Amino acid sequence: WVDGTPAVGSEYVYVGSNDGSLYALDKATGTEEWAFTGGGMRAPTLVDDSVYVPSDDGNIYAIDAATGTEIWTFETDGRPRFCPGVADGALYLGTNDSNMIYAIDTETGDEEWAFDAPDSVSCPPTIVDGSVYVGTSQYSSHFYSLDAATGTEEWRFTDASGSIWVSAAVTSETAYIPCDDNSLYALDI
């Protein structure tokens, strides 16, 4: 089954599948152009000529968008289940079982930094004005602001009484955080 939002390029639609493959489909006809097989593939992110896709095998793959050729693989300490965010030459993603948030160089696949959150990273990150915003679930339900360049914690919001399952909407002044405690939190940042 398809587990996540497809990424759409000028020629192809890229979709991750639980059968272990990332597919490139012709936008006009739906014809399969290529397939890349890893673990259970999740929602991809398309940036320029590369598709970045998290996998249940614990890896994040960088794939050439035109050919389906692997560019690099980064092995995480858990399962990166959400589409990564990309900004300023770095890819940002979290894992939902090892509680890590990573920044990875988009060209080389090298780790730039890792932040150890106290709980499961439960949503894709939002990157705005040099900060990475991401929420956690289950036991802590924290919402973090991290410096995008260093991974240093800038601040955390701990007053939510439920899990933060979806990305926050962030402007230069406010973070809007949806929570499964039936609340929407608006924070001055």
Side-chain angles (χ1 to χ4, degrees):
W1 73 82
V2 175
D3 186 15
T5 305
V8 181
S10 60
E11 297 179 49
Y12 306 131
V13 175
Y14 304 92
V15 61
S17 173
N18 203 45
D19 71 1
S21 295
L22 172 70
Y23 295 96
L25 307 176
D26 184 278
K27 278 175 53 175
T29 66
T31 304
E32 181 183 314
E33 295 297 320
W34 55 257
F36 175 85
T37 301
M41 297 296 197
R42 299 298 173 172
T45 298
L46 174 66
V47 178
D48 299 326
D49 298 325
S50 298
V51 182
Y52 304 99
V53 60
S55 174
D56 283 347
D57 66 7
N59 294 322
I60 178 90
Y61 294 95
I63 309 298
D64 184 281
T67 66
T69 304
E70 182 178 322
I71 301 168
W72 52 256
T73 301
F74 179 84
E75 184 177 354
T76 72
D77 289 334
R79 287 185 308 151
R81 296 181 52 91
F82 307 101
C83 60
V86 179
D88 301 322
L91 178 146
Y92 303 92
L93 78 154
T95 60
N96 71 339
D97 49 4
S98 71
N99 311 336
M100 297 298 291
I101 301 166
Y102 295 97
I104 304 163
D105 185 284
T106 57
E107 292 294 319
T108 65
D110 294 334
E111 180 181 306
E112 294 185 355
W113 53 259
F115 177 82
D116 191 1
D119 205 351
S120 175
V121 178
S122 53
C123 62
T126 302
I127 303 99
V128 175
D129 295 337
S131 294
V132 178
Y133 301 93
V134 67
T136 62
S137 66
Q138 295 177 352
Y139 306 110
S140 68
S141 299
H142 292 167
F143 183 79
Y144 293 91
S145 173
L146 307 175
D147 183 282
T150 65
T152 303
E153 183 178 326
E154 296 172 327
W155 53 263
R156 85 174 68 171
F157 173 70
T158 61
D159 292 340
S161 59
S163 295
I164 301 165
W165 294 107
V166 296
S167 299
V170 181
T171 70
S172 60
E173 299 175 349
T174 308
Y176 300 93
I177 308 162
C179 184
D180 72 359
D181 64 3
N182 297 320
S183 299
L184 175 66
Y185 297 94
L187 307 180
D188 290 330
I189 56 175

